Amino acid sequence: MPNTKASLLQDLKHTYDGLKPNPIRVFDAEASSTPGVVKLTLGEPDFNVPQHIKRAAIDSINNDESHYGPSNGWPKLRQAATGFLKDRYNLDYNPDSELVVTVGATEALHSCLDAVLNPGDKVLMPSPTFSLYDQLIRINGGIPVYINTEATGFVLTPDQLKAAIAEEGPRVKAILLNFPSNPTGVTYNKEQVAAIAAVVADTDIVVISDEIYSELTYGSKHASFAAALPEQTLLINGVSKSHAMTGWRIGFIAGPADLMKRVALAHAFNVTVASNPAMAGATEALATEAGREDSEAMKAEYIKRRDYVVAEMTKMGFAIPEPNGAFYVFAKIPTGCIQDDTEFCYDLLRKNKLAVIAGSGFGPGGEAHVRISYAASMATLQEAMKRLGAYVAANKH
Ligand SMILES: Cc1ncc(COP(=O)(O)O)c(C=O)c1O
């Protein structure tokens, strides 16, 4: 195999120079090489894709749907997605001009940032937040700016946002929100959304609202940011989490037509179009009653797991803000244990063969916390809690 010419590497695209692979995946790979490890690391539903969705994708293959679809996605899927947004969150979007089907929420994020940012523009993010955002903002020429929300229960307040906008000045082009949140599991209620929207409405800032976990909201109904401020919002959703379809790679973006024209261009230049069998499966997931029921059944299971994990970890001395969505618990390490979260995670892995994610990788406010994904079977969670309890009992000073 040839080596790359060394001098050629010196002047390639500089935005990639300091970028590293996702630390969650790096730690997960390391943990995987520990024999007998129990992992609560990745944000992946552990359910299988429901049978009727698989059948729709298989039919698409058997029907020779093997040519390029329209760049924005097949009309049937766009209608299914806008219908889903209407039924579930009372949002009104035109499937022909206001919705684009993407290759997962990741491509949706990328295409939104690509369409919106000029080099040097700033993107505000309540922190801790999904670690991929930082890199996606940077590769699209932007500058990530974190707003630490640890003191306010991991919810961005209007005062924090106003202060950040005033401090960061006119280069603030976008705000990247995510709720229910990865990594905290915290979500925003309608009043909290309205309060943030009122601040943004006085500006020309674009809100990119990643609501990929909206169907996994426990307690009160999910309140979409797009309902509060449709004219400034690019809404991201998809079937990865709601239907355990992470590997199928289908997401979508909805927003006002003029903005979506640009986003659609970015999407078309990035990926052309999503794949036909995956789009057929996603149509089945979003358009049918059975598809809605799938999400409900998974959600009921997640609630049981969440309640179990929160109760067990609280007994051990972890402090946990109420997780009302997604499938994560973001827990403050008990006093008396190692407070450096990375060291804590490696020590726990070494001594008790349990892998959880260090909080500081999610940005300011994550220090001395760990993220636990409860997208795992009850038996796995029980074993994990046994190991965690034993570790804390033996290592708390
Ligand atoms: C907040 C958030 N946004 C986006 C994604 C990526 O979603 P997708 O698999 O649809 O690209 C994830 C996956 O973990 C996530 O947690």
Side-chain angles (χ1 to χ4, degrees):
M1 290 287 278
N3 287 326
T4 310
K5 186 179 173 192
S7 57
L8 171 159
L9 287 170
Q10 302 308 310
D11 197 30
L12 296 178
K13 189 174 178 182
H14 291 299
T15 39
Y16 278 87
D17 284 351
L19 295 188
K20 297 198 183 80
N22 182 337
I24 299 176
R25 291 206 166 263
V26 172
F27 181 76
D28 179 71
E30 276 186 54
S32 300
S33 62
T34 304
V37 70
V38 170
K39 295 195 303 174
L40 302 181
T41 45
L42 297 185
E44 275 238 71
D46 59 314
F47 299 107
N48 290 327
V49 173
Q51 212 55 40
H52 65 110
I53 296 176
K54 289 184 198 169
R55 266 197 306 273
I58 292 165
D59 287 349
S60 160
I61 294 170
N62 286 334
N63 292 336
D64 290 317
E65 291 173 6
S66 49
H67 302 284
Y68 292 122
S71 175
N72 289 353
W74 288 107
K76 251 171 93 174
L77 176 52
R78 282 188 266 124
Q79 277 153 17
T82 53
F84 163 84
L85 293 174
K86 176 70 183 168
D87 291 355
R88 300 292 298 145
Y89 310 118
N90 202 23
L91 300 171
D92 288 295
Y93 288 106
N94 182 326
D96 296 325
S97 57
E98 297 175 335
L99 189 125
V100 169
V101 176
T102 59
V103 180
T106 303
E107 190 255 306
L109 287 158
H110 184 68
S111 292
C112 287
L113 293 164
D114 191 7
V116 161
L117 296 183
N118 284 308
D121 279 345
K122 296 178 180 178
V123 181
L124 303 180
M125 294 183 289
S127 168
T129 192
F130 183 40
S131 35
L132 183 68
Y133 293 161
D134 188 287
Q135 287 104 325
L136 287 180
I137 292 167
R138 289 178 199 276
I139 66 171
N140 283 294
I143 301 170
V145 177
Y146 293 92
I147 307 172
N148 187 335
T149 61
E150 188 189 1
T152 50
F154 299 126
V155 171
L156 177 70
T157 66
D159 286 345
Q160 287 168 335
L161 180 57
K162 273 188 223 160
I165 292 171
E167 193 171 323
E168 297 299 331
R171 293 309 300 266
V172 176
K173 178 62 62 70
I175 300 171
L176 184 35
L177 296 177
N178 166 230
F179 61 96
S181 155
N182 174 9
T184 68
V186 165
T187 197
Y188 289 57
N189 63 32
K190 203 171 166 187
E191 290 70 36
Q192 289 164 329
V193 167
I196 297 295
V199 176
V200 182
D202 289 336
T203 71
D204 289 330
I205 294 171
V206 176
V207 176
I208 301 171
S209 194
D210 177 355
E211 301 179 20
I212 190 71
Y213 293 100
S214 65
E215 286 295 283
L216 302 178
T217 299
Y218 318 122
S220 60
K221 210 169 175 306
H222 176 74
S224 176
F225 201 88
L229 196 61
E231 63 272 40
Q232 275 171 260
T233 304
L234 289 170
L235 170 66
I236 294 176
N237 213 316
V239 293
S240 297
K241 314 291 175 172
S242 59
H243 291 80
M245 289 169 69
T246 45
W248 291 51
R249 315 304 305 128
I250 295 292
F252 47 87
I253 311 164
D258 287 338
L259 205 44
M260 286 306 292
K261 263 190 212 157
R262 284 172 170 261
V263 171
L265 286 177
H267 158 76
F269 298 145
N270 280 326
V271 299
T272 305
V273 59
S275 92
N276 286 333
M279 284 200 276
T283 307
E284 173 74 17
L286 293 172
T288 63
E289 198 48 46
R292 302 285 161 89
E293 283 164 17
D294 298 330
S295 297
E296 284 302 318
M298 293 181 200
K299 180 164 137 176
E301 195 53 41
Y302 288 131
I303 291 173
K304 277 191 225 154
R305 298 168 180 186
R306 173 201 63 169
D307 290 348
Y308 169 70
V309 169
V310 170
E312 290 300 309
M313 290 183 70
T314 305
K315 274 190 252 163
M316 294 172 210
F318 287 89
I320 301 172
E322 198 178 352
N324 274 326
F327 34 61
Y328 306 104
V329 163
F330 203 65
K332 184 120 202 301
I333 298 170
T335 42
C337 290
I338 298 172
Q339 290 297 297
D340 180 302
D341 47 282
T342 305
E343 243 183 80
F344 177 95
C345 289
Y346 276 101
D347 200 47
L348 175 62
L349 177 63
R350 210 167 35 242
K351 291 180 176 156
N352 291 67
K353 297 188 178 174
L354 175 64
V356 301
I357 299 293
S360 53
F362 299 100
E367 304 85 358
H369 287 76
V370 291
R371 188 196 77 173
I372 282 172
S373 164
Y374 56 86
S377 72
M378 203 57 172
T380 302
L381 292 174
Q382 281 164 349
E383 179 58 29
M385 290 302 113
K386 211 165 85 187
R387 293 182 188 198
L388 187 60
Y391 173 83
V392 170
N395 294 280
K396 199 166 158 180
H397 305 296

